Amino acid sequence: MSPVSSAPVRGWRITSAASSCLLRLYCDLPPGEPLTWGVQTEACECADWFNSKYIVLWGSNISQTRIPDAHFAYEARYNGAKIVCISPDYNASATHADLYFRINPGTDGILALGVAKLLMIRTSSTCRM
């Protein structure tokens, strides 16, 4: 463990705070998963991307950040999946996308709220409460 990564652990020991996993601290894996399910893992195996029909790359560049796993998403495209990339920059993953939405930095939260509202309106008209 490097001195930089051990600093939070020393801080937890000095203050007698509840220690946390370093993966959660650095957000190496989704931090919401262990809080919800109690297990630090990904929601699905990356190999399952091949079985997807619609993949949204929202602010992620899997071609450069998930090099060993990116081929599963691109093979899904050959299997008939649609890939959508939402990012402020036209990155290496956007070149493989069927649709590319350029957004201004910091506006992805507004877009997410708009998508959530649209989904709620569309599903509430088709579902009985």
Side-chain angles (χ1 to χ4, degrees), residues 40-122:
Q40 179 68 48
T41 183
E42 290 188 77
C44 66
E45 177 88 22
C46 296
D48 285 340
W49 294 351
F50 179 76
N51 300 320
S52 299
K53 297 298 175 200
Y54 203 82
I55 299 172
V56 179
L57 304 175
W58 195 312
S60 65
N61 185 358
I62 60 172
S63 293
Q64 293 183 352
T65 60
R66 301 202 56 172
I67 295 169
D69 303 325
H71 72 94
F72 291 118
Y74 304 141
E75 288 171 7
R77 186 172 181 216
Y78 290 116
N79 197 29
K82 298 292 181 196
I83 297 179
V84 177
C85 182
I86 301 170
S87 181
D89 62 335
Y90 191 77
N91 54 42
S93 297
T95 61
H96 298 284
D98 296 303
L99 291 171
Y100 169 69
F101 293 105
R102 185 191 169 279
I103 58 171
N104 291 327
T107 60
D108 54 341
I110 297 168
L111 179 61
L113 288 172
V115 170
K117 180 180 179 182
L118 184 65
L119 288 172
M120 289 172 51
I121 290 170
R122 288 194 178 177

Side-chain angles (χ1 to χ4, degrees), residues 5-22 25:
S5 62
S6 63
V9 175
R10 285 195 311 267
W12 293 325
R13 288 183 183 151
I14 291 170
T15 60
S16 300
S19 64
S20 181
C21 176
L22 288 176
L25 178 69

